[in-house]
Amino acid sequence: SQKIEQNSEALNIQEGKTATLTCNYTNYSPAYLQWYRQDPGRGPVFLLLIRENEKEKRKERLKVTFDTTLKQSLFHITASQPADSATYLCASRMNYGGSQGNLIFGKGTKLSVKP
Amino acid sequence: EPEVTQTPSHQVTQMGQEVILRCVPISNHLYFYWYRQILGQKVEFLVSFYNNEISEKSEIFDDQFSVERPDGSNFTLKIRSTKLEDSAMYFCASSDSGGYNEQYFGPGTRLTVT
């Protein structure tokens, strides 16, 4: 079955450093991957989308890469701040080729940025 | 900035009771979704809705669940006879098109079944 996996449950880093989060997918080839931020007790908030034909996408301090050979996406936050502390979710469309954007999510990586 | 709203924020119900969770998607969006998240687990897709009908549904979305868009603004999820295992956070989401576009999630309704 299609799987999105985020193997690191938690990542602790010092303020100012770059956080790198990993998302792996198995048993399918997603047309895109999306990254969301989720704060405790809140709904996911969209951050970035990268398509399979894009190697890299940037938005302010965020950067996401997509490696179809490794079946992996990396999500980077540069110059991290305590306010970046949250759970970050990787997601992709569940049924490739379908018209709907039903998402399958990874379990998320909880990022803690210490001052 | 437009946002998805959900009511109530917290619903407590007894096993076997019916509950209706309400959502107001972003006004010009055409695609609507329900997801759930059991505490400490992944966000899971339940159902998608477009053009006044269900587009896709997951295995979780069995006969106990139904969705409706009763008017031009509300989108509801009904659980007919709640079970203990239905306790979760339920998120409504909407997007302006299917496929690649990002989805906008509401703040969620925490459902507690006792």
Side-chain angles (χ1 to χ4, degrees), chain B residues 23-62:
Chain B
C23 168
V24 179
I26 293 172
S27 61
N28 63 339
H29 284 186
L30 301 175
Y31 295 79
F32 314 117
Y33 310 85
W34 283 101
Y35 294 83
R36 81 170 186 191
Q37 187 174 31
I38 295 170
L39 190 62
Q41 298 190 23
K42 296 182 182 184
V43 176
E44 300 174 288
F45 166 73
L46 293 178
V47 66
S48 57
F49 193 86
Y50 169 71
N51 203 24
N52 282 321
E53 60 182 22
I54 291 175
S55 303
E56 292 189 53
K57 57 185 180 180
S58 71
E59 293 173 351
I60 303 167
F61 195 88
D62 61 22

Side-chain angles (χ1 to χ4, degrees), chain A residues 32 38 49 95 100-102, chain B residues 31 37 40 48 56 99-100 103:
Chain A
Y32 62 79
Q38 186 175 29
L49 178 151
N95 296 308
Q100 279 293 103
N102 316 326
Chain B
Y31 295 79
Q37 187 174 31
S48 57
E56 292 189 53
Y100 292 97
Q103 295 182 16

Side-chain angles (χ1 to χ4, degrees), chain B:
Chain B
E1 186 172 325
E3 57 183 21
V4 176
T5 59
Q6 289 185 245
T7 54
S9 57
H10 191 188
Q11 174 92 46
V12 181
T13 190
Q14 288 193 326
M15 196 166 53
Q17 295 297 303
E18 174 183 288
V19 294
I20 297 175
L21 310 183
R22 292 183 166 79
C23 168
V24 179
I26 293 172
S27 61
N28 63 339
H29 284 186
L30 301 175
Y31 295 79
F32 314 117
Y33 310 85
W34 283 101
Y35 294 83
R36 81 170 186 191
Q37 187 174 31
I38 295 170
L39 190 62
Q41 298 190 23
K42 296 182 182 184
V43 176
E44 300 174 288
F45 166 73
L46 293 178
V47 66
S48 57
F49 193 86
Y50 169 71
N51 203 24
N52 282 321
E53 60 182 22
I54 291 175
S55 303
E56 292 189 53
K57 57 185 180 180
S58 71
E59 293 173 351
I60 303 167
F61 195 88
D62 61 22
D63 292 343
Q64 293 300 312
F65 290 87
S66 62
V67 288
E68 196 178 32
R69 188 153 162 82
D71 53 43
S73 58
N74 290 284
F75 180 50
T76 62
L77 174 70
K78 182 193 289 187
I79 310 175
R80 286 192 186 82
S81 179
T82 50
K83 307 184 189 75
L84 293 175
E85 53 265 36
D86 293 328
S87 294
M89 197 76 158
Y90 287 80
F91 296 110
C92 173
S94 68
S95 64
D96 59 0
S97 66
Y100 292 97
N101 283 27
E102 66 266 30
Q103 295 182 16
Y104 292 81
F105 283 75
T109 292
R110 179 167 299 285
L111 177 65
T112 303
V113 182
T114 60

Side-chain angles (χ1 to χ4, degrees), chain A residues 8-12 21 40 85-88 107-112:
Chain A
S8 295
E9 284 193 14
L11 178 64
N12 299 310
L21 286 65
S85 298
T87 296
Y88 291 86
K107 198 171 179 183
T109 297
K110 184 175 179 180
L111 174 67
S112 296

